[in-house]
Amino acid sequence: MKIDIASKISSGVSRVKAYTPGEQPDTSDWVKLNTNEFPFPPSPKVKEAIMAEIGDDGASLRLYPNPESSKLREAIAKHFGVSREYAFAANGSDDILNLAIRAFCDKSKTVVTLEPSYSLYPVLAKLQDTELLSIPFNADMSIPFEKINNSGANIFFFVNPNAPTGIGFGEEVVRKIVENFNGIVLVDEAYSPFAGWSAAKLVEEYNNLIVTGTSSKGWGLAGMRIGWGLANPMVLEVLDRVRDSYNLDRLAQVAGVAALNDNAYYAEKLQLVLQERENIERYFDSLGWRYFKSSANFVLFTPKTKDGKEGVDVAKSLFEHLRKNKILLRYFPNEASINMSIRLSIGTQEQMLKFVDATNQWINL
Ligand code: PMP
């Protein structure tokens, strides 16, 4: 008997096209400025902690890890200045976004988000067979509060600083959202280290707030898959029901603790990233190119030809020119609101100079 597999797929999954992550080239000869990784290695204490966990013969790997990632939860709580029962750890923050949708959404309990936002959200919503309502930012890129509050959605996914624009919103905006939205507000803070503040502490005040974060962007650990969530213990108990019982391996748990405990190392490296962000924004100013002033570790900019033309073709032309020079950026040809723009992750000074050189060359082609 030959089964028609397509007819057996669940209704949510049958509508989904898998999320396309940014390209991850196999070779190291690229100037990789496409997926917003930290341009510096993690704290040296991370490697020490991993080596210590492995030991001489790797015997500890024989045993399952701590199911709650208890020490990591403690380190997360300490880092963000909240009590321990407000912290949760997961396999990257994508994992928590997925858990939140599974825990709080179904056919009648829906999601609302802003347009543009992180392009994974629609995929997660479809998988859960729930509706995702995408509300455009106001023309001045402010937040349409009324529309969000009247959406009837159960959960609001709010990326702050926004991806892919990099625009950051302050504490009063987050408070205004959380106080007026009749549901759960998930603030996705993947990029908050570059904004200089986090809403994490507010979870002790508001029981409908989840703040997620990741070691992938600000701690140089995208390869380890360590994410966190901060929320009221009642919310975390629900996420605990949904997660894998061993959702973080032993090495990730010790790496996360070591990274979160080394603030001095990261503070110094963060300054270098912020300096490069300022330099590149000044470069775009000097060219007269449009960009969103960024609170993240990337800049979304709109390239112009020498005779002042912008457009989808122009963005594609620069993207491809850079690619030919082994400089990889991210652009979104299928997203109408941003298809004239390209997103540049902030790299080291050397990487940024290569980007500037190749871009100057393109302008003068
Ligand atoms: N949120 C946003 C807005 C992101 O851009 C990313 C990374 N693509 C994530 C969450 C997920 O990060 P990670 O799973 O590596 O923690």
Side-chain angles (χ1 to χ4, degrees), residues 19 21-22 35-36 90-97 117-121 159-164 188-191 212-217 221-223 225-228 298 330 343:
Y19 174 72
T35 46
N36 304 338
N91 183 32
S93 60
D94 279 349
D95 188 23
I96 307 188
L97 304 175
S117 275
Y118 183 24
S119 48
L120 178 70
Y121 301 156
V159 201
N160 190 34
N162 179 268
D188 177 344
E189 287 196 352
Y191 300 103
T212 63
T214 175
S215 69
S216 301
K217 314 297 184 181
L221 285 170
R225 315 302 301 126
I226 305 157
W228 47 79
F298 56 83
R330 186 103 191 250
R343 195 190 67 190

Side-chain angles (χ1 to χ4, degrees), residues 36-345:
N36 304 338
E37 288 121 334
F38 205 56
F40 303 105
S43 154
K45 302 208 167 111
V46 168
K47 186 175 163 195
E48 278 170 31
I50 291 174
M51 298 317 273
E53 180 63 26
I54 294 175
D56 291 338
D57 58 1
S60 75
L61 302 181
R62 193 175 58 77
L63 302 173
Y64 282 104
N66 177 287
E68 282 87 32
S69 306
S70 301
K71 288 190 176 145
L72 179 54
R73 288 193 195 205
E74 265 161 40
I76 294 163
K78 186 168 147 237
H79 182 84
F80 289 99
V82 298
S83 341
R84 194 219 161 287
E85 65 273 22
Y86 286 78
F88 178 91
N91 183 32
S93 60
D94 279 349
D95 188 23
I96 307 188
L97 304 175
N98 189 19
L99 296 176
I101 287 221
R102 285 175 64 200
F104 295 108
C105 297
D106 57 27
K107 275 211 168 19
S108 61
K109 296 189 170 79
T110 62
V111 194
V112 64
T113 190
L114 289 159
E115 170 68 34
S117 275
Y118 183 24
S119 48
L120 178 70
Y121 301 156
V123 178
L124 295 178
K126 278 190 188 148
L127 284 171
Q128 182 64 6
D129 216 356
T130 189
E131 190 193 327
L132 176 134
L133 182 65
S134 214
I135 299 178
F137 276 93
N138 295 326
D140 62 357
M141 297 313 277
S142 62
I143 294 173
F145 293 100
E146 288 290 298
K147 288 184 187 156
I148 287 159
N149 293 339
N150 296 332
S151 67
N154 205 49
I155 185 164
F156 173 27
F157 272 39
F158 175 54
V159 201
N160 190 34
N162 179 268
T165 63
I167 296 173
F169 298 90
E171 181 174 331
E172 58 307 339
V173 169
V174 174
R175 282 187 186 273
K176 187 168 166 184
I177 292 170
V178 178
E179 282 172 11
N180 295 292
F181 183 72
N182 182 22
I184 308 268
V185 176
L186 185 149
V187 182
D188 177 344
E189 287 196 352
Y191 300 103
S192 71
F194 311 98
W197 86 282
S198 163
K201 265 179 146 347
L202 302 185
V203 299
E204 291 185 331
E205 267 181 72
Y206 301 107
N207 75 351
N208 62 331
L209 173 64
I210 306 176
V211 175
T212 63
T214 175
S215 69
S216 301
K217 314 297 184 181
W219 281 264
L221 285 170
M224 291 298 297
R225 315 302 301 126
I226 305 157
W228 47 79
L230 297 126
N232 185 279
M234 279 174 73
V235 171
L236 296 190
E237 187 276 319
V238 181
L239 298 184
D240 268 324
R241 287 186 219 172
V242 187
R243 71 175 170 86
D244 285 349
S245 33
Y246 302 106
N247 64 339
L248 273 169
D249 66 58
R250 284 177 168 270
L251 305 185
Q253 290 188 28
V254 297
V257 171
L260 285 166
N261 284 338
D262 196 354
N263 290 339
Y265 173 86
Y266 286 104
E268 189 195 318
K269 297 290 186 242
L270 177 67
Q271 282 315 310
L272 300 176
V273 175
L274 299 183
Q275 184 60 56
E276 289 310 314
R277 182 176 78 192
E278 197 183 319
N279 292 348
I280 209 68
E281 289 185 341
R282 253 192 264 131
Y283 170 67
F284 291 140
D285 286 338
S286 76
L287 296 174
W289 289 6
R290 295 188 296 134
Y291 62 90
F292 291 109
K293 181 118 195 71
S294 175
S295 297
N297 66 335
F298 56 83
V299 180
L300 187 73
F301 67 96
T302 307
K304 252 191 225 174
T305 59
K306 224 179 348 193
D307 44 359
K309 216 176 97 205
E310 293 176 350
V312 184
D313 295 349
V314 176
K316 184 163 186 258
S317 160
L318 174 58
F319 175 80
E320 284 176 356
H321 171 81
L322 293 168
R323 203 169 194 293
K324 253 188 257 150
N325 286 277
K326 295 241 142 192
I327 301 171
L328 198 55
L329 271 62
R330 186 103 191 250
Y331 98 122
F332 307 86
N334 302 322
E335 290 185 40
S337 62
I338 50 171
N339 63 7
M340 291 175 7
S341 306
I342 308 181
R343 195 190 67 190
L344 165 72
S345 306

